[in-house]
Amino acid sequence: MIRNVLGSVLALIGAAAAVLSPFRDWYDGRLGRHYRIDELFTGITAGRPGALGSILLAFLFAALLTVVGVVLRSRPLVVFAGVVVLGSTVLWMVRQGQSTGSLTVAGDGSGLGRGVAEAAAGGALLLVGAAVMSGRRSARGTHDRPYAAPGSESPDTWPPTQEPGPSVQTSTLPEPEPEPYTGPDPAAHRPAPGPGHAAAPEDRDTAPYPVAPGTGRGKGPDESPRESPGEGPDEPGEDRPPRR
């Protein structure tokens, strides 16, 4: 903000000096507005044009560019205005030197006058003001820009991990979740029973139904009670009296 204000002030001062310079003496008491603008390219003549046909027109155009550049905080416009002022002044000096054979500076007012110095100083102030200005920032601020992922030289910053210490994960994909059980499989390390070995108690199949209280291990809920040794099915060939 301060740079824009300071640069704008310098640019406006330079534009004002450039506009006032054609009303000063430029060479041998001749005012700057007495030189035609086309004489900067064709050569100096003795004619005296109007105000809008003289060098003043170029300086007014530069002042207009300066005002627009200050309002828009555009550094290129202010730089272009300074180039117009300095370019017009240098071209005039070249054509004037060709017309008179040399350019002199004298204390009695002959030779180069005060107007040339003001025009050159105004163009320089325009360039300095453009250099001091910070310019107009883009509509999208730097805080709205997404942060770029760091490279492989700092793997502990992307992606974020919950584990202490530097991370070796450099992929943008999320880290895989651990399995709920990470211990070894007990069946993989237990030797298989041989032909003459019985299975371990923990390897036997459990009962398909819950065992009722008071029953033995070999008697299930669906098994009928064992018959006494004297009671068995009727054997063939024996006649037993019918039961009453």
Side-chain angles (χ1 to χ4, degrees), residues 83-202:
V83 171
V84 170
V85 174
L86 283 180
S88 299
T89 305
V90 172
L91 282 176
W92 176 87
M93 295 177 67
V94 172
R95 297 305 179 184
Q96 185 65 37
Q98 291 177 350
S99 177
T100 58
S102 62
L103 294 176
T104 59
V105 179
D108 56 357
S110 61
L112 294 176
R114 181 180 177 182
V116 180
E118 289 186 1
L125 283 177
L126 285 172
L127 296 180
V128 172
V132 172
M133 291 175 62
S134 60
R136 186 176 184 180
R137 296 181 180 180
S138 58
R140 184 179 180 182
T142 56
H143 297 285
D144 299 335
R145 299 177 183 176
Y147 291 98
S152 58
E153 64 276 2
S154 55
D156 56 334
T157 57
W158 185 264
T161 59
Q162 302 296 333
E163 301 176 359
S167 173
V168 296
Q169 180 75 13
T170 58
S171 174
T172 57
L173 299 177
E175 295 184 352
E177 294 292 336
E179 295 294 336
Y181 179 74
T182 57
D185 187 5
H189 300 277
R190 184 180 298 114
H197 297 80
E202 62 271 13

